[in-house]
């Protein structure tokens, strides 16, 4: 499929083909949400986030927006079309028949919500109550794509109720020690139950005919089954990464760089029983370099492993956060051209380079990178 900057086309099958059109988020009006089950489970007991909620300090929002604007401009200078969401008033509460929250979150990480597979963009269910209305920030863009691209399919997964039945009450305890959390994650006992399908788009890796989905805090098995039924021509694989007591998304744990090469967080190794899928199909799984920082920035949900939350522009070019010198050096040794992007000051608003973007168009087709596997259409 050929791409032209003069017309909108939605098409993206993987994480590495040449990127031509992307959405970059904004930090505007981002809030620290009030306590709720999914948020409580994510925030470590010793975090500076505990006991704080409300609008983030304006000076940090201004810095975050400046960094995101600079990132967007760097992409534009490389000939990539960049669109931006329209923030809503995140100070507004969320009220449904099943729950109420005091405020919302933000729209810095479009990767969490928007899953692009071929000519579809799917709005994920999400599992944080404070993010219930986040899709509204992207609806003007999606409506425009729908009007301009007659092949574009705008899909929305079933909106979950997110009642108390969707969460394990054990995670509501005021203090849960790290050993207990690690035991729970080893046993795949996460904060979300199997009451209804739940998934975040950032738990899905797109690899041509195959979708690799993390079962964890924000994506349950019913959510993975929904994806399997929704994409019947794809092979959908559930993976899990023990070792993180506060797991959220797959893109700071398992990062495809190009066909045949994946970075794996050494503290969250893909278990031996799940590795044959990749190794028998010629994929090399390399331990990611250590982060350059010992702690996340202030008021940040994410771990130091945002170091490996990189954005691949094409199979030879990758964006890496400017201060993550060890990750940059490793990718350089692996034959990639590294583009430094200053974004650490925006981490607190929802993540790193991969998190803060969502693909609209990458060149390329739906290729089969795991040819030894059964064709899903064969039944």
């Amino acid at each position: 499929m050929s791409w032209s900057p003069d017309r909108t086309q939605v098409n993206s099958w993987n994480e590495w083909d040449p990127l031509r059109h992307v959405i970059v988020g904004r930090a505007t009006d981002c809030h620290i949400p009030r306590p709720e089950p999914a948020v409580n489970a994510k925030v470590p007991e010793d975090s500076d986030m505990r006991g704080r909620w409300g609008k983030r300090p304006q000076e940090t929002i201004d810095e975050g927006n400046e960094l995101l604007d600079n990132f967007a401009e760097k992409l534009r200078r490389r000939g990539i079309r960049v669109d931006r969401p329209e923030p809503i008033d995140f100070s507004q509460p969320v009220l449904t028949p099943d729950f109420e929250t005091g405020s919302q979150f933000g729209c810095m990480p479009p990767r969490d919500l928007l899953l692009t597979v071929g000519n579809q963009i799917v709005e994920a269910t999400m599992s944080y109550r404070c993010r219930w209305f986040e899709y509204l920030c992207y609806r003007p863009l999606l409506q425009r794509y729908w009007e301009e691209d007659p092949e574009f399919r705008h899909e929305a997964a079933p909106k979950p109720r997110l009642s108390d039945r969707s969460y394990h009450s054990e995670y509501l305890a005021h203090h849960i020690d790290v050993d207990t959390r690690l035991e729970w994650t080893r046993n795949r006992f996460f904060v979300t139950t199997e009451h209804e399908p739940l998934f975040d788009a950032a738990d899905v890796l797109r690899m041509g005919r195959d979708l690799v989905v993390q079962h964890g805090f924000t994506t349950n098995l019913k959510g993975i089954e929904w994806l399997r039924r929704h994409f019947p021509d794809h092979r959908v694989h559930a993976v899990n990464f023990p070792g993180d007591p506060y797991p959220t998304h797959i893109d700071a744990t398992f990062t495809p760089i190009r066909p045949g090469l994946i970075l794996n967080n050494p503290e969250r190794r893909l278990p031996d029983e799940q590795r044959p899928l990749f190794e028998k199909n010629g994929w090399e799984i390399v331990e990611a370099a250590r982060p350059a920082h010992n702690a996340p920035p202030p008021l940040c949900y994410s771990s130091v492993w945002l170091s490996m939350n990189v954005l691949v522009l094409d199979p030879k070019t990758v964006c890496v956060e400017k201060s993550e010198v060890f990750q940059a050096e490793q990718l350089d040794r692996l034959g990639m051209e590294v583009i430094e992007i200053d974004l650490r000051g925006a981490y607190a608003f929802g993540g790193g380079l991969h998190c803060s973007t969502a693909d609209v168009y990458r060149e390329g087709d739906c290729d089969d990178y795991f040819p030894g596997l059964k064709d899903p259409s064969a039944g």
Side-chain angles (χ1 to χ4, degrees), residues 217-273:
F217 269 32
T218 57
T219 297
N220 62 11
L221 294 174
K222 279 191 175 178
I224 296 173
E225 177 60 21
W226 187 89
L227 289 165
R228 182 174 287 114
R229 296 185 193 186
H230 187 73
F231 295 109
D233 295 331
H234 282 72
R235 295 172 296 233
V236 178
H237 312 277
V239 294
N240 176 257
F241 301 90
D244 184 6
Y246 306 98
T248 303
H249 295 135
I250 198 171
D251 54 1
T253 298
F254 207 60
T255 304
I257 301 299
R258 59 176 182 253
L261 178 64
I262 296 178
L263 299 182
N264 190 186
N265 187 322
E267 294 182 359
R268 311 169 198 164
R269 291 184 73 256
L270 184 68
D272 290 344
E273 63 271 19

Side-chain angles (χ1 to χ4, degrees), residues 71-144:
F71 179 28
E73 185 56 32
K74 276 197 171 185
L75 294 175
R76 290 191 184 102
R77 288 201 297 266
R78 296 186 68 90
I80 299 169
R81 175 177 160 184
V82 179
D83 289 333
R84 313 295 298 277
E86 297 183 13
I88 61 176
D89 179 1
F90 298 116
S91 69
Q92 295 181 87
V94 179
L95 176 63
T96 80
D98 296 294
F99 68 85
E100 180 178 3
T101 66
S103 68
Q104 300 180 51
F105 180 68
C107 63
M108 181 275 200
R111 187 78 59 172
D112 292 6
L113 175 68
L114 302 178
L115 174 63
T116 307
V117 178
N119 67 343
Q120 295 186 53
I121 297 181
V122 176
E123 295 175 10
T125 66
M126 312 291 277
S127 61
Y128 282 35
R129 291 169 170 172
C130 59
R131 304 184 74 173
W132 178 268
F133 287 118
E134 198 166 320
Y135 71 93
L136 294 175
C137 304
Y138 301 96
R139 280 294 176 88
L141 288 176
L142 298 178
Q143 178 67 21
R144 196 173 93 212

Side-chain angles (χ1 to χ4, degrees), residues 352-376:
L353 295 165
H354 193 255
C355 301
S356 65
T357 60
D359 298 0
V360 179
Y361 189 95
R362 286 184 184 265
E363 294 180 356
D365 298 316
C366 184
D367 295 327
D368 191 346
Y369 300 97
F370 299 86
L373 299 181
K374 181 181 177 181
D375 190 322

Side-chain angles (χ1 to χ4, degrees), residues 41-65:
K42 173 59 182 169
V43 181
E45 274 72 16
D46 59 354
S47 171
D48 57 358
M49 305 286 284
R50 286 281 176 181
R52 300 186 62 161
W53 55 80
K55 185 178 177 180
R56 289 177 177 271
Q58 187 61 45
E59 62 271 18
T60 68
I61 290 175
D62 293 342
E63 179 191 9
N65 271 332

Side-chain angles (χ1 to χ4, degrees), residues 36-52 169-182 184 191 217 244-247 296 300-301:
E36 59 166 281
V39 171
N40 295 353
K42 173 59 182 169
V43 181
E45 274 72 16
D46 59 354
S47 171
D48 57 358
M49 305 286 284
R50 286 281 176 181
R52 300 186 62 161
S169 61
E170 290 87 341
Y171 276 94
L172 298 179
H174 179 69
H175 176 77
I176 307 169
D177 62 78
V178 171
D179 288 340
T180 298
R181 286 179 176 269
L182 286 171
W184 285 354
V191 64
F217 269 32
D244 184 6
Y246 306 98
C300 181
Y301 287 100

